[in-house]
Amino acid sequence: MTDAPTKNDFVAVRIAVLTVSDSRSLSDDKSGDTLVARLQGAGHILADRDILIDDRAAIAEKLRQWSRDPSIDVVLSTGGTGLTGRDVSVEAHRDVYEKEIDAFSTVFTHVSMKKIGTSALQSRATGGVANGTYMFALPGSPGACKDAWDEILVKQLDIRHKPCNFVEIMPRLDEHLRRK
């Protein structure tokens, strides 16, 4: 994140994208591509990108690694938020979170209900913070990634969004680590 923006200046944040899938590669990762196109289209920076299989420990380790990387402000994962036995992204995220952003799941469900009705119940999208890094676990469909970005994240990751947004408090996310 750049230093000392004025209240009207856009601040580009550095976002890593993780796709969780047993069947996708970078060449056919439509959900990851959707997130990359949207975040770059909004003026943000793609800090890193990876694909992992549905393995809770491996996902959690990647999230920890990225949360400790000072060149990454936000992590967006896609996939593994459903109800099947292989869906472990939510658990991996919660293994890493210091604080969960409870309302993210609620707002995402509200957005999804408008698009897919009660099928929104099958998603367990989540958000949280670890090591001063925002993390969001999104469903694995391009439509769900589009909805999460267009209806929630594009606004909350823009310092100009009022009355408040995630970017303006970003410098304070790890203040508890600096206390003496």
Side-chain angles (χ1 to χ4, degrees), residues 105-165:
S105 179
T106 303
V107 172
F108 181 80
T109 301
H110 177 73
V111 167
S112 295
M113 284 285 296
K114 292 187 236 174
K115 307 282 175 110
I116 61 172
T118 60
S119 295
L121 293 172
Q122 294 184 34
S123 172
R124 298 180 307 132
T126 186
V129 178
N131 296 311
T133 303
Y134 290 111
M135 299 180 170
F136 301 95
L138 310 175
S141 75
C145 290
K146 175 187 171 297
D147 293 343
W149 181 267
D150 293 353
E151 301 293 329
I152 305 168
L153 295 172
V154 72
K155 296 168 186 151
Q156 284 299 301
L157 295 177
D158 188 334
I159 199 164
R160 301 167 298 183
H161 179 73
K162 299 300 172 204
C164 56
N165 58 76

Side-chain angles (χ1 to χ4, degrees), residues 56-132:
R56 181 175 176 170
I59 297 164
E61 182 52 36
K62 176 56 81 173
L63 295 174
R64 283 186 195 96
Q65 175 190 347
W66 278 348
S67 76
R68 292 187 299 258
D69 185 335
S71 69
I72 297 173
D73 302 311
V74 178
V75 174
L76 303 177
S77 74
T78 175
T81 64
L83 299 173
T84 72
R86 297 289 296 152
D87 292 323
V88 295
S89 291
V90 173
E91 290 74 19
H93 272 254
R94 289 182 175 150
D95 289 344
V96 177
Y97 291 162
E98 294 164 359
K99 294 183 178 182
E100 190 160 358
I101 304 169
D102 298 316
F104 180 79
S105 179
T106 303
V107 172
F108 181 80
T109 301
H110 177 73
V111 167
S112 295
M113 284 285 296
K114 292 187 236 174
K115 307 282 175 110
I116 61 172
T118 60
S119 295
L121 293 172
Q122 294 184 34
S123 172
R124 298 180 307 132
T126 186
V129 178
N131 296 311

